[in-house]
Amino acid sequence: MAAWRGSRSGGDGLQSVEHISSSRTVRLGKVQPQAPGHRTVFCNDRDANALAKFKGNSVSTTKYDVFTFLPKGLFEQFRRVANLYFLMISILSCTPVSPVSPITNVLPLTLVLLVSLIKEAWEDWKRFQNDMAINNSTIEVLQDQKWVLTPWKKLQVGDIVKVKQDGFFPADLLFLASTNPDGICYIETANLDGETNLKIRKALEKTWDYVTPEKVCEFKGEVQCEQPNNSLYTFTGNLIINKQTLPLSPNQLLLRGCSLRNTDYIVGAVIFTGHETKVMMNSMKIPSKRSTLEKKLDKLILTLFCVLFCMCLLGAIGSGVFINRKYYYLRFDKSEKQFDPDNRFVVAILTFFTLITLYSPIIPISLYVSVEMIKFIQSTQFINNDLSMYHAESNTPALARTSNLNEELGQVEYIFSDKTGTLTRNLMEFFKCSIGGEVYGTGVSEIEMGTAQRTGAKIETQKQSNTAREKGFNFDDARLMRGAWRNEPNPEACKEFFKCLAICHTVLPEGDESPEKIRYQAASPDESALVTAAKNFGFFFYKRSPTTIYVRESHVEKMGKVQDVPYEILNVLEFNSTRKRQSVVCRYPDGRLVLYCKGADTVIYERLVDGDNELKRITREHLEQFGASGLRTLCLAYRNLSSDVYESWNEKYIQAKSSLRDREKKLDEVAELIEKELILIGCTAIEDKLQEGVPACIETLSRAGIKIWVLTGDKMETAINIAYACKLINNSMKQFIISSETDAVREIEDRGDQVELARFMKELVKNELKRCNEEAQQYLLSVPRSKLALVIDGKCLMYALDPSLRVMLLNLSMNCSAVVCCRVSPLQKAQVTSLVRKGANRITLSIGDGANDVSMIQAAHVGVGISGQEGMQAVMASDFAIAQFRFLTDLLLVHGRWSYHRICKVVTYFFYKNLTFTLTQFWFTFQTGFSGQRLYDDWFQSLYNVIFTALPVIIIGLFDKDVSATLSKQYPELYKEGIRNAFFKWRVVATWAFFAIYQSLVLYYFVVASSNRAINSSGKMFGLWDVSTMAFTCVVVTVNLRLLMMCNTITRWHHISVGGSILAWFVFVFIYSGVILPKEQENIYLVIYVLMSTFYFYFALILVPVAALFCDFVYLGVQRWFFP
Amino acid sequence: MSSGDGASQSSSKKSKKPTYSRFTQQELPAFKPILTPGLIMAAFVFLGITFIPIGLSHLSASDNVVQLVDRYDEDCIPTYNSNPEEAHNKRIQYIRDASTNKTCVRTLIVPKKMRHPIFVYYQLDDFYQNHRRYVKSRNDEQYRNPSAERKTANCEPEAVNDDHEPIVPCGLIAWSLFNDTYSLLRNDVPLPINKKDIAWQSDKTHKFGSNVYPKNFQSRSLIGGATLNESIPLNQQDDLLVWMRTAALPSFRKLYGRIETDLEANEVIKVVIQNNYNTYTFNGKKKFVISTTTWIGGKNDFLGKVYITVGGASLFIAIAFISVYLVMPRPLGDPSYLSWNKNPPSN
């Protein structure tokens, strides 16, 4: 401790440091809120840090704790309108207005709340246990010159920790030293972004030696860095040791959640702890989406409210009219407001409330909780566990991240799909290249084969080449292999080409340093494909140190000679989506300075040195040719640098690199300065193969009436070809192409007048859209109707999305069965999605795998992420994650369709059973002088929803199947019912309502009419409660049998639940009428025994449900027979 | 996060392959109740052939019941030849006057031979025994338990008398107890009406106490109906018990007593009615009913008719289905009948 305190004096000289003010305030002991700009951390000095009151390292992801659980949980529950409604009804039922005792409404509400709260508590408990496990895992922390095992939760900002191989980082650490030479370590970030390749982190040179505890004790430093934020890939800060300010970058940051690989141990200082770590700041809530069916359900509930209101109004008016002193035996007088015949208005109003309480079961209280439970089980048990959606290769099962949208999957009409990684495999293979104006590579891509098939030309199936094929390399051209390139017309260009491939990348080699055994860890599969290509061409990249790349070059100086060449890497200008390029400045062993650059054709062409237009033209042609074959292209270029140009630039670069603010932007700007006057070498073409089963899946989906849009960043030719290859477009389709790649556009582009360009483009797009619309109309009228397809590129789309043209675009695209948008930005993807979502009001699904699809995934009704490949961002934003595009068939046609059917059935059944029940009450009201006398006993009414009719409907929500999984995939047309929403239209609801009215009339009047005479040979008569128990028995039996009638499949669970529910009623009524409860009225006491002693009971019990269900049965029979 | 920190590395290497179970793969054994035409027809035929006999037996049983209904409220009151409103008031005056003799004799002719036991009922129409204010105006605890006589909750306004002494039995139902009495004469010989055992056994043994005696009953100025003998416990007061089992509908019958001898056809029965009960204020009807019973109880065509209707309808539909089936047979599972193979819907 004393040693640490010594560091204080060293800190006094910090006057020169820019951010002195904040560090000083801390030192003065005035605890102030941290300046928003940055935080200061004193490494290895707990006391100094204590003043800043950093948060501890224990994390809690729970929603509630012991004390807040009840209030907070209840609050959450009452945010639901239905629960709030029942709370109000419950309160109302405690007033004298109520015809029922409070138990009627309080009990079901309590049960519903209890179920919901238990579910919440259980989920929270699991989270809590998980947190505990994490918080109590141990880590070695430096204390008194020793490593001491400490639980994670005790960790504090500024502590020095030691993390061993394969260990997880307990907090965000500043990387100080590692056992590896050169202060590097390898980390796996799979928990953060799902990328499994290892990444390098490199400590600052100054801190390399702080490896042993003795040494680390001496470490005293002050870290100034940004405030905690959720950006995983940025970090800016400075480390101040011994009055020296050293810039810190993400390279020195080890994030919590990552794990250490290939390194014995590392030493780091804790910077961000607990909830302030980047990964915790990143754990965003699952976006809550509500399904359209649920919204429609709200409308239904609203309609029920209206019905309820009308019923109550009718009853209230009736009561106002009825009330009269002439009924002397009812003793209407002023003593009770509700029965004051002098004030009919008040009577009506109070009766209105009475009736609301009485008819409250018309709103199905348990509906939401039941539907939620059903959906939860559907998603966790069925979707997540479906073996046919399990991808063995990537070991990924399907994952439903939200259970809200299951039935939405059954109604999808538009699918927006990303191309790369979604339709295609994202397994890149180096396929062709063009060097110095010469095309190499003889392979025929899948897409070319597809093209050939459609033009009818026959292409000889390619002979399997003798070259050893490996992952990422599918290239065969003897002209380049084994040093043969030396004999090509342009060997210098070839050499540069290969060197560029071997040097300009951020790939990590792993494993043995031999060509056969080495494995490349790359951020993207393209990169590793390129490096693998270089290896095969004889430029074997085998080792990387932080400053050097080692390449084993063959055949360079003369054939057969192998030499290891170290290239010193001076700067790496990294790839990002705005730059669309990547550069490396390296120094040859002979001192030559070269900048190698590779990137998208557009950005590279902008930065080429003038001259040699012939090469540019030819290469551009090749690029287009590659693109047409569905290949991904990259341009390679280089620039020779003189040392003074480099030195002056490097200064600026270092400055930019150590800036605290806007570092990214400044780096980009500096990079611009040197990435110019490039010399084109050539271009590469990488094949991205289609995923397994994609064409079949797309065909199935389009037969199911789903329209598929492909939104891709690729070139138009690539996109169209992919569309052909996956059978999205075929030759019989009429294609409309709206492209900005016309000569007229290019001409204006060259003039460079942006305003004119915009105007022209808008005009062009408008005319094109108009023309296409007209043609589309003609095609639609013509017989036979041919299918239409629209292809549009990003620039045109930009103008077409303009509000004035949007409608036209929408009209056109609605008529097309396939739409391909190419060269679109992530934002445009989202715009197109919401265009269809809002404009056409159809249900949309977006599927994608990369970060660029996130906006699209969030914009659509249902977002599906492809898991297990490019990263986790798409999955994190999605509602469902599947491993392969083809699993969409199962997800939509099987699970979606079933869920939709089931939920529709559940909802309509709930509607029906509660309406039937309430209507019997309603009919009774007319015969009680509109007094609001209840027909059923309190307990009957309260348990009706939660016990006597609850379970079977859940069973139907889980097990009902109209057709088997294989059949529904075989006949995708079945899916169209969902798109048309055939099972939850108002017509369906009206049918159910009709039968509910009919049945309630039968149930009520049949029972009442048949029981108003002596019912056995002893001549005795039934009373009110005998009749009501009879009626209730009939209702329970009828409603449960009706459920059995609507089942498509009946498992033993159906029998158990239906039989169980009816049995539960009888058991209940036997017990209930057998005991004397301490209350004023034992209406039901012994009633069931009286009832069951008569023949009448049994005959009525057979007759009434049969009569009630008779019409339903006829209806179903007729429907099944004539309208299957 | 969850799979991350604490969880060991091995778990992430483990296969995430879901385990097979028939539940999760949704392959539970199930049978599909397809409503094939054959099944539908069979069901209807079955319904028809079981329901019609049940219905017929009900109807015949109901037919065997002999019942005599006589509405007497209009005839057992003097006619007043003034305007309707005045007449109405005079009638009310008449019925409320306790001092007048309201004996009224009705003569009935037995239409058919009636075998004993013959049940005597009174029937009230437009009497809302099921009104909410009425139904809840009772306290079962007080009726059952002598020590609970002060428990008069819900009994307002007939809970306590003017001296705040509890009324037993309390409440409006008891207060408005029916108090017309009938005695029968056959050929001017009294025909005894047995009033024993007219209430449900459960009411006698469980709901009303054998040691609860009426108290302060009808002691207030406003008298609703019958008085009770204070020396007889509640569970022996069968009339009260019958009355207290409130009816479900505003038109109801209640058992009055039994005649234990047969009545021959065309015998003349004189009914001597003490017309005390006031139904005149609300224009309710009073009827005197004697009826025999069979195994289904009293005269009740309703169940029989519905049974026959449902059964008949089933048979009719079955026949209709069969004829349609013969005219245009349709193989099951013919895909050409599936909707998307027909012309697309016009919308």
Side-chain angles (χ1 to χ4, degrees), chain A residues 1105-1123:
Chain A
V1106 167
L1109 295 174
F1110 189 73
C1111 276
D1112 292 65
F1113 193 69
V1114 171
Y1115 174 75
L1116 283 182
V1118 168
Q1119 203 185 28
R1120 175 70 66 163
W1121 202 348
F1122 300 105
F1123 315 100

Side-chain angles (χ1 to χ4, degrees), chain A residues 96-99 130 134 152 168 191 256-257 261 280 322 326-333 335-336 338-339 354 381-382 384-387 390 395 397 895 898 902 924 927-929 931-933 958-959 961-963 973-974 1004 1006 1008-1010 1013-1021 1023-1027 1047-1051 1053 1055 1076 1080-1083 1085-1087 1090 1095-1096 1099 1102-1103 1106-1107 1110 1113-1114 1116-1118 1120-1122 1124, chain B residues 1-7 9 14-18 20 23-33 35 37 40 43-44 47 51 54 58 119 121 126-128 130-141 144 153-154 157-158 172 175-176 197-200 202 206-207 220 222 224 245-250 253-255 277-278 281-282 293-300 302-303 306-307 310 313-314 317 321 324-325 328 330 337 340 342:
Chain A
V97 194
S98 163
N130 198 16
I134 291 169
W152 282 23
F168 286 92
N191 282 324
R256 179 178 179 142
R261 290 290 138 85
M280 295 303 288
F322 174 85
K326 70 183 182 183
Y327 299 103
Y328 71 93
Y329 56 92
L330 299 175
R331 295 282 279 275
F332 292 136
D333 53 35
S335 64
E336 222 178 322
Q338 197 179 356
F339 301 109
T354 304
Q381 297 298 313
F382 297 158
N384 290 0
N385 283 328
D386 192 342
L387 283 173
Y390 168 73
N395 189 21
H895 289 285
W898 277 345
R902 290 166 182 171
F924 183 59
Q927 298 194 311
T928 62
S931 60
Q933 171 58 33
L958 294 180
F959 295 124
K961 283 196 267 192
D962 53 344
V963 293
E973 288 84 353
L974 289 168
Y1004 174 66
F1006 278 25
V1008 159
S1010 61
R1013 293 290 177 266
I1015 35 66
N1016 70 1
S1017 52
S1018 71
K1020 289 169 189 162
M1021 303 290 301
L1024 168 62
W1025 302 111
D1026 309 293
V1027 176
C1047 292
N1048 283 307
T1049 49
I1050 294 179
T1051 65
W1053 293 101
H1055 296 300
I1076 294 175
E1080 283 96 25
Q1081 305 193 346
E1082 284 110 22
N1083 301 319
Y1085 187 50
L1086 296 179
V1087 158
V1090 167
F1095 286 118
Y1096 164 79
F1099 282 109
I1102 293 169
L1103 176 68
V1106 167
F1110 189 73
F1113 193 69
V1114 171
L1116 283 182
V1118 168
R1120 175 70 66 163
W1121 202 348
F1122 300 105
Chain B
M1 213 40 218
S2 56
S3 66
D5 297 338
Q9 182 60 27
K14 223 162 46 190
S15 171
K16 288 176 189 151
K17 184 171 180 170
Y20 175 87
F23 173 68
T24 55
Q25 301 309 312
Q26 309 194 51
E27 288 166 6
L28 285 172
F31 84 89
K32 296 185 76 151
L35 290 177
I40 296 172
F44 278 127
L47 266 188
F51 272 35
I54 297 177
H58 261 89
F119 296 92
Y121 299 94
D126 293 323
F127 189 98
Y128 287 89
N130 59 5
H131 195 278
R132 180 155 76 93
R133 189 174 164 82
Y134 194 79
V135 173
K136 75 170 180 190
S137 187
R138 65 189 289 158
N139 193 321
D140 287 327
E141 214 177 340
R144 190 178 58 242
N154 289 334
E158 286 297 326
L172 286 178
W175 175 76
S176 58
D197 195 25
I198 54 172
W200 288 99
S202 63
H206 292 99
K207 284 192 103 167
R220 299 174 67 187
L222 207 56
R245 203 172 184 100
T246 51
L249 291 183
R253 268 181 202 178
K254 288 199 178 281
L255 190 55
Y277 201 67
N278 177 9
T281 46
F282 54 91
T293 60
T294 60
W295 59 275
I296 62 156
K299 194 157 191 77
N300 192 351
F302 188 81
L303 274 184
V306 174
Y307 262 112
V310 172
S314 307
I317 288 168
F321 265 56
V324 170
Y325 191 69
M328 46 173 227
R330 185 203 138 199
Y337 279 83
W340 66 86
K342 295 180 184 171

Side-chain angles (χ1 to χ4, degrees), chain A residues 501-781:
Chain A
L501 290 184
I503 296 169
C504 180
H505 56 76
T506 53
V507 175
L508 280 179
E510 217 187 41
D512 250 6
E513 286 173 11
S514 69
E516 292 79 30
K517 286 189 184 156
I518 201 152
R519 282 188 299 129
Y520 290 119
Q521 295 278 358
S524 76
D526 301 63
E527 276 215 309
S528 74
L530 291 176
V531 178
T532 312
K535 177 178 84 180
N536 283 290
F537 291 132
F539 288 75
F540 173 40
F541 159 66
Y542 65 95
K543 193 174 160 199
R544 174 192 282 274
S545 76
T547 52
T548 323
I549 278 180
Y550 298 90
V551 180
R552 189 166 294 153
E553 297 181 352
S554 321
H555 322 296
V556 175
E557 274 161 34
K558 64 174 198 230
M559 284 298 283
K561 189 182 174 192
V562 180
Q563 57 183 12
D564 291 356
V565 187
Y567 294 94
E568 191 187 345
I569 303 299
L570 301 171
N571 306 90
V572 178
L573 307 174
E574 282 186 22
F575 180 88
N576 66 34
S577 54
T578 41
R579 277 162 46 79
K580 290 186 185 166
R581 62 187 182 275
Q582 175 185 41
S583 304
V584 166
V585 183
C586 68
R587 198 198 306 267
Y588 277 47
D590 60 6
R592 178 187 167 206
L593 278 171
V594 185
L595 171 117
Y596 285 111
C597 180
K598 70 178 183 203
D601 48 352
T602 45
V603 290
I604 299 289
Y605 267 72
E606 279 169 14
R607 291 170 177 76
L608 288 183
V609 69
D610 287 340
D612 202 1
N613 287 330
E614 187 58 19
L615 176 65
K616 285 190 205 166
R617 192 187 57 75
I618 293 173
T619 310
R620 192 189 272 273
E621 269 174 23
H622 290 162
L623 281 167
E624 278 167 16
Q625 192 187 322
F626 292 154
S629 320
L631 303 173
R632 295 156 70 90
T633 55
L634 277 181
C635 278
L636 306 185
Y638 72 100
R639 180 187 176 191
N640 287 313
L641 299 169
S642 61
S643 58
D644 32 324
V645 171
Y646 173 72
E647 287 305 329
S648 64
W649 174 81
N650 196 29
E651 253 168 54
K652 289 181 199 150
Y653 177 74
I654 288 169
Q655 214 171 19
K657 218 177 168 184
S658 55
S659 66
L660 272 178
R661 285 169 198 279
D662 299 330
R663 183 182 285 175
E664 295 288 316
K665 205 175 135 215
K666 281 181 189 159
L667 278 177
D668 285 0
E669 280 163 12
V670 174
E672 278 304 325
L673 296 176
I674 199 159
E675 286 170 336
K676 60 183 185 187
E677 295 166 24
L678 302 173
I679 301 163
L680 185 67
I681 315 172
C683 61
T684 60
I686 291 174
E687 186 177 22
D688 187 3
K689 284 200 165 162
L690 280 184
Q691 271 185 18
E692 213 179 312
V694 166
C697 171
I698 287 187
E699 211 182 345
T700 314
L701 291 179
S702 60
R703 268 174 63 204
I706 300 172
K707 291 166 186 169
I708 297 165
W709 294 34
V710 174
L711 311 176
T712 168
D714 281 328
K715 279 192 288 294
M716 184 171 275
E717 293 77 21
T718 322
I720 293 178
N721 281 308
I722 288 279
Y724 269 109
C726 57
K727 294 193 179 163
L728 188 56
I729 304 181
N730 56 45
N731 275 343
S732 66
M733 280 181 169
K734 168 70 190 164
Q735 287 177 38
F736 299 112
I737 298 179
I738 301 177
S739 164
S740 59
E741 300 279 309
T742 60
D743 293 337
V745 175
R746 216 167 268 154
E747 201 175 291
I748 295 170
E749 238 172 15
D750 290 344
R751 262 184 262 155
D753 185 349
Q754 289 301 318
V755 184
E756 197 194 339
L757 180 68
R759 195 190 50 75
F760 179 82
M761 284 289 298
K762 197 169 172 182
E763 206 56 33
L764 176 89
V765 172
K766 190 174 171 185
N767 291 337
E768 285 283 307
L769 281 174
K770 205 178 268 176
R771 182 180 63 78
C772 294
N773 256 329
E774 279 161 12
E775 275 184 46
Q777 288 306 323
Q778 280 175 6
Y779 273 98
L780 286 178
L781 293 174

Side-chain angles (χ1 to χ4, degrees), chain A residues 102-295:
Chain A
I103 196 84
T104 319
N105 292 301
V106 173
L107 186 81
L109 181 67
T110 321
L111 279 177
V112 164
L113 290 181
L114 202 67
V115 170
S116 307
L117 286 179
I118 287 173
K119 184 184 151 229
E120 286 280 307
W122 185 66
E123 282 176 356
D124 221 39
W125 175 248
K126 284 210 307 193
R127 279 193 286 263
F128 175 71
Q129 283 189 320
N130 198 16
D131 287 346
M132 287 300 285
I134 291 169
N135 285 336
N136 286 329
S137 48
T138 52
I139 185 77
E140 286 177 271
V141 178
L142 184 72
Q143 264 173 19
D144 303 326
Q145 307 201 358
K146 279 198 299 287
W147 296 117
V148 180
L149 274 178
T150 317
W152 282 23
K153 59 182 174 190
K154 297 263 173 69
L155 212 58
Q156 285 177 16
V157 172
D159 284 356
I160 306 286
V161 296
K162 173 176 143 185
V163 181
K164 288 187 180 154
Q165 175 145 8
D166 294 336
F168 286 92
F169 302 122
D172 289 356
L173 306 177
L174 174 68
F175 181 26
L176 295 175
S178 92
T179 49
N180 282 2
D182 307 337
I184 58 169
C185 73
Y186 300 91
I187 60 168
E188 193 186 271
T189 57
N191 282 324
L192 242 52
D193 52 14
E195 293 175 24
T196 49
N197 55 310
L198 299 185
K199 302 205 173 53
I200 292 187
R201 289 290 181 267
K202 187 183 164 194
L204 293 174
E205 237 177 297
K206 295 269 180 194
T207 60
W208 281 3
D209 357 314
Y210 296 112
V211 182
T212 56
E214 298 77 35
K215 192 94 171 108
V216 186
C217 288
E218 294 162 20
F219 176 71
K220 39 211 140 176
E222 185 180 321
V223 178
Q224 291 180 334
C225 61
E226 57 194 10
Q227 284 294 333
N229 59 50
N230 63 0
S231 164
L232 289 177
Y233 304 106
T234 61
F235 174 73
T236 43
N238 286 315
L239 175 67
I240 302 156
I241 23 174
N242 303 332
K243 300 174 199 173
Q244 263 186 307
T245 305
L246 304 165
L248 297 174
S249 71
N251 233 339
Q252 282 87 44
L253 195 66
L254 306 173
L255 297 179
R256 179 178 179 142
C258 302
S259 56
L260 188 68
R261 290 290 138 85
N262 296 355
T263 313
D264 283 347
Y265 69 88
I266 61 108
V267 174
V270 178
I271 303 181
F272 301 128
T273 46
H275 287 281
E276 293 180 335
T277 54
K278 296 209 179 232
V279 64
M280 295 303 288
M281 306 267 295
N282 239 310
S283 58
M284 52 182 171
K285 276 187 187 160
I286 298 167
S288 85
K289 289 179 184 172
R290 295 189 69 211
S291 71
T292 32
L293 196 114
E294 220 166 284
K295 283 177 197 151

Side-chain angles (χ1 to χ4, degrees), chain B residues 168-169 174 177 214 217-218 226-231 234 237 240:
Chain B
V168 184
L177 177 60
F217 191 65
Q218 303 289 21
T227 51
L228 294 173
N229 185 340
E230 298 210 348
S231 59
L234 287 186
Q237 312 251 13
L240 178 75

